[in-house]
């Protein structure tokens, strides 16, 4: 059900790859709530994914941008403002790649060149996006920026590997840049720490299916779905959350604050 929460707002969605991705579902919900959007992803992801189908549904242009390339990001914001005829009201950063995980390397045997690329793509890209927008004065006052994180930034999940460090850095950037952008132009920057969901990217983590089932048993409300995460992002882009900034917001059915649940205890007793 739509409530026109984003009527008149304009936003950029990073990272929509296919129908399973959070960015894809968020793009659909933003448009349903009255927003106009621009879609973007890396050129290689555009070739691999199905973003043109989403663009047609959302009546949105697709502007390629490598998040590690400052010229690409400047082009993205300039062309987006040209398309909108004004500045941007919200940004979703849904970008991550664990190079060592992809190559099957464990946390105790990292290739540091891969590690550098992981940090650059998965975390420093948020700083690049924010710095580009800041210098171009591309965001309206009270604009909202959301980046997707995960609780492994704060707790150990052995198979999440270097991505745990990347997410910790991502959350730190959101806090630090959130301060500067907030004092500069009332722009709010937050991260959403989402339940594990079976996206194309998430499904590549070793033991993912077992952990997803465990998280569901541990969470009083169960795992939050991609569509429910999209709803939360819409709320964070809306004017109803204007005073929330520099926060890591858990959207995980209560997993983050549950020590142990009865279903897990019962399973251990078997």
């Amino acid at each position: 059900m739509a409530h026109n929460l984003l009527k008149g707002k304009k936003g950029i969605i990073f990272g929509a790859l296919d129908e399973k991705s959070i960015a894809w579902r968020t793009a659909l919900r933003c448009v349903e709530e009255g927003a106009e959007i621009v879609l973007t992803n890396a050129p290689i992801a555009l070739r691999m994914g199905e973003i043109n189908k989403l663009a047609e549904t959302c009546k949105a242009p697709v502007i390629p941008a490598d998040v590690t390339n400052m010229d690409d990001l400047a082009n993205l914001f300039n062309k987006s403002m040209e398309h909108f005829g004004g500045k941007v009201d919200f940004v979703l950063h849904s970008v991550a790649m664990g190079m060592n995980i992809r190559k099957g390397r464990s946390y105790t045997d990292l290739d540091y060149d891969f590690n550098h690329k992981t940090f650059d793509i998965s975390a420093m890209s948020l700083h690049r996006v924010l710095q580009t927008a800041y210098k171009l004065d591309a965001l309206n006052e009270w604009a909202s920026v959301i980046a997707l994180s995960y609780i492994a930034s704060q707790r150990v999940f052995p198979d999440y590997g270097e991505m745990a460090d990347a997410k910790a850095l991502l959350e730190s950037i959101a806090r630090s840049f959130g301060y500067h952008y907030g004092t500069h132009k009332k722009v709010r920057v937050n991260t959403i720490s989402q339940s594990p969901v079976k996206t194309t990217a998430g499904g590549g983590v070793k033991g993912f299916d077992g952990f997803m089932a465990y998280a569901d048993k541990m969470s009083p409300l169960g795992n939050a779905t991609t569509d429910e995460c999209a709803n939360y992002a819409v709320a964070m882009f809306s004017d109803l959350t204007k005073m929330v900034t520099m926060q890591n917001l858990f959207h995980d059915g209560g997993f983050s604050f549950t020590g142990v649940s009865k279903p897990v205890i019962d399973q251990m007793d078997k």
Side-chain angles (χ1 to χ4, degrees):
M1 181 182 295
H3 303 280
N4 287 321
L5 289 176
L6 303 182
K7 186 176 181 180
K9 292 191 181 293
K10 301 164 179 26
I12 300 174
I13 304 289
F14 284 81
L17 182 65
D18 55 37
E19 291 182 351
K20 294 186 288 186
S21 70
I22 292 172
W24 186 292
R25 311 309 298 179
T26 302
L28 291 173
R29 285 293 291 122
C30 288
V31 171
E32 186 179 4
E33 289 294 340
E36 294 178 57
I37 63 170
V38 164
L39 298 167
T40 186
N41 213 329
I44 187 170
L46 296 181
R47 292 194 298 271
M48 293 170 55
E50 304 169 359
I51 198 170
N52 288 332
K53 182 167 72 173
L54 178 64
E56 185 176 343
T57 301
C58 294
K59 296 180 172 54
V62 178
I63 303 175
D66 177 347
V67 291
T68 66
N69 185 301
M70 297 301 285
D71 290 336
D72 276 13
L73 291 173
N75 179 66
L76 168 65
F77 277 103
N78 282 323
K79 284 191 174 176
S80 295
M81 288 189 287
E82 183 180 330
H83 170 72
F84 292 140
K87 298 178 185 180
V88 178
D89 297 298
F90 63 87
V91 176
L92 176 70
H93 177 283
S94 180
V95 181
M97 179 178 291
M99 294 294 294
N100 278 286
I101 292 172
R102 177 169 284 197
K103 298 293 184 179
R105 299 189 71 130
S106 72
Y107 189 74
T108 56
D109 183 35
L110 294 181
D111 178 297
Y112 292 114
D113 288 333
F114 290 162
N115 190 234
H116 176 81
K117 290 176 183 175
T118 293
F119 285 2
D120 205 14
I121 294 169
S122 304
M124 288 308 301
S125 60
L126 177 61
H127 195 288
R128 292 172 185 270
V129 166
L130 291 167
Q131 181 169 294
T132 301
Y134 189 98
K135 289 185 174 181
L136 292 176
D137 191 23
L139 301 185
N140 280 316
E141 284 196 356
W142 300 104
S144 176
V145 180
I146 290 290
L148 296 178
S149 190
Y150 186 55
I151 195 174
S153 64
Q154 299 174 31
R155 298 187 191 176
V156 175
F157 295 87
D159 292 328
Y160 204 65
E162 65 185 340
M163 280 303 301
D165 298 340
K167 292 300 189 185
L169 178 56
L170 181 82
E171 292 175 16
S172 179
I173 290 168
R175 286 189 296 270
S176 297
F177 222 119
Y179 169 81
H180 292 288
Y181 227 149
T183 57
H184 175 63
K185 204 157 188 180
K186 306 297 184 188
V187 171
R188 47 211 163 100
V189 184
N190 296 284
T191 54
I192 292 176
S193 186
Q194 165 67 12
S195 296
V197 291
K198 195 68 177 284
T199 62
T200 299
V205 177
K206 181 182 176 184
F208 183 85
D209 287 341
F211 177 68
M212 191 170 176
Y214 167 76
D216 196 52
K217 285 182 180 294
M218 276 285 290
S219 306
L221 302 182
N223 289 334
T225 67
T226 52
D227 284 329
E228 287 161 342
C229 187
N231 286 337
Y232 195 29
V234 165
M236 291 305 302
F237 293 150
S238 80
D239 292 337
L240 298 178
T241 54
K242 285 178 71 171
M243 299 306 291
V244 182
T245 194
M246 301 163 61
Q247 303 298 308
N248 179 54
L249 304 163
F250 289 107
H251 186 253
D252 59 8
F255 177 88
S256 48
F257 286 92
T258 302
V260 68
S261 66
K262 189 173 186 305
V264 171
I265 292 173
D266 291 344
Q267 179 127 9
M268 296 299 290
D269 282 341
K270 289 181 180 177

